[in-house]
Amino acid sequence: MKALAIGLMSGTSMDGLDICLAEFEKQDKWTFQILKAETIPYSEDWENKLRNSIHLSAEDLLELHSEYGFYLGRQVKKFIHKHQLENISLIASHGHTIFHQPKRKFTLQIGDGRAIKLETGLPVIYDFRSQDVLMNGNGAPLVPIGDELLFSEYNACLNLGGFSNISLHSDGKRIAFDIAPVNIVLNHLAQQINKSFDENGALAQKGEINEALLNDLNTLDFYQHSHPKSLGIEWCNKHIFPALKNIEILDALATFTEHTAQQIANVINKNNIKDILITGGGAYNSFLIEKIRSKTQAEVIIPKKEIIDYKEALIFAFMGVLKVNNEVNVLSSATGSSYDHCSGVIA
């Protein structure tokens, strides 16, 4: 069985829209090949709209849900035209997360899949998280199904995006959970001194670690809980940003980078992980990567650029393929839902 699918991913770090075309084939097991991929940077207007969407009224948020769906559709249409693509089976869209409160039984990723379908004329699978939240799950992380079926040669997979999340085998099943914020905080700090992000961790390297702040961060309640667990912007607004308010920016960057490295290393060491594949924008933060390496014995593997940049978009494309074939695409051992299930809405 073969399928050609496009995956769309927009992360909390607001880097832009990731578009990934991949071919999937199932014989004894699933294999994949990334054929084309690119990131469309958000215009200042779109970045502001997405960043401020959490404050919108219900009516304005519904309008943005439609508007962003048409935007996604237009970007995919351009991508298809640019690369002269044919025979695409489906588009799978993660959308852009606005709210994520699984304890209150809701999560919201905007970007109406029906609008994407109207723009492209292709089948679209979207809203992958809501069903899991309704089933008492965290609605996250969803990527472990791809780690299990496409990247099983690694002991563990770590994504360093807006938040860090890990998936690994434990007691014969794959577990996964969010570890700590990463780029959602580091980018926020860098932007206060007119940098879009802390390239290679160079700014953090210049700062000094504030031990009192580091201790406050490390003793936050979330880190004491066992999996499954997930993080959202609301948690950062409540616990992280206020704690960083009166700290000099370079020192805040140094301290938060150290905090993130410590939390990630704690998880690696606690689970006796031998090798770990690291992807996401944070994989380019060489200062953070070296800090993680220095705190653990595990072999840290940084793959080729297309996997670093597009693994999440790739796996959402894969989840779409699994959905149309009515196969499990969400693991309850990762999200905490009642049972493994097949999630997503087909437009």
Side-chain angles (χ1 to χ4, degrees), residues 46 49 52-68 98-99 108 110:
W46 266 111
K49 280 181 180 178
N52 297 319
S53 54
I54 195 168
H55 306 299
L56 293 177
S57 68
E59 292 97 327
D60 289 344
L61 187 55
L62 286 167
E63 181 183 17
L64 185 62
H65 176 50
S66 297
E67 185 187 356
Y68 186 58
I98 308 300
F99 298 111
L108 176 66
I110 63 164

Side-chain angles (χ1 to χ4, degrees), residues 6 14 24 33 41 68 86-87 200 210 248 291 324 345:
I6 289 176
M14 306 268 184
F24 301 94
Q33 185 181 0
Y68 186 58
E86 295 178 338
N87 304 318
N200 296 323
N210 181 314
E248 201 276 323
K291 275 187 172 287
V324 297
V345 173

Side-chain angles (χ1 to χ4, degrees), residues 278-293:
I278 299 186
T279 56
Y284 296 114
N285 185 330
S286 51
F287 185 54
L288 174 59
I289 297 299
E290 285 313 309
K291 275 187 172 287
I292 294 169
R293 279 198 168 110

Side-chain angles (χ1 to χ4, degrees), residues 62-104:
L62 286 167
E63 181 183 17
L64 185 62
H65 176 50
S66 297
E67 185 187 356
Y68 186 58
F70 284 112
Y71 167 84
L72 293 176
R74 288 193 301 274
Q75 297 308 318
V76 174
K77 203 158 61 170
K78 286 180 192 171
F79 178 81
I80 290 170
H81 179 73
K82 175 182 174 180
H83 299 292
Q84 299 181 310
L85 304 178
E86 295 178 338
N87 304 318
I88 296 163
S89 310
L90 60 92
I91 298 164
S93 177
H94 171 270
H96 189 85
T97 299
I98 308 300
F99 298 111
H100 182 67
Q101 297 188 34
K103 285 189 171 64
R104 297 175 66 189

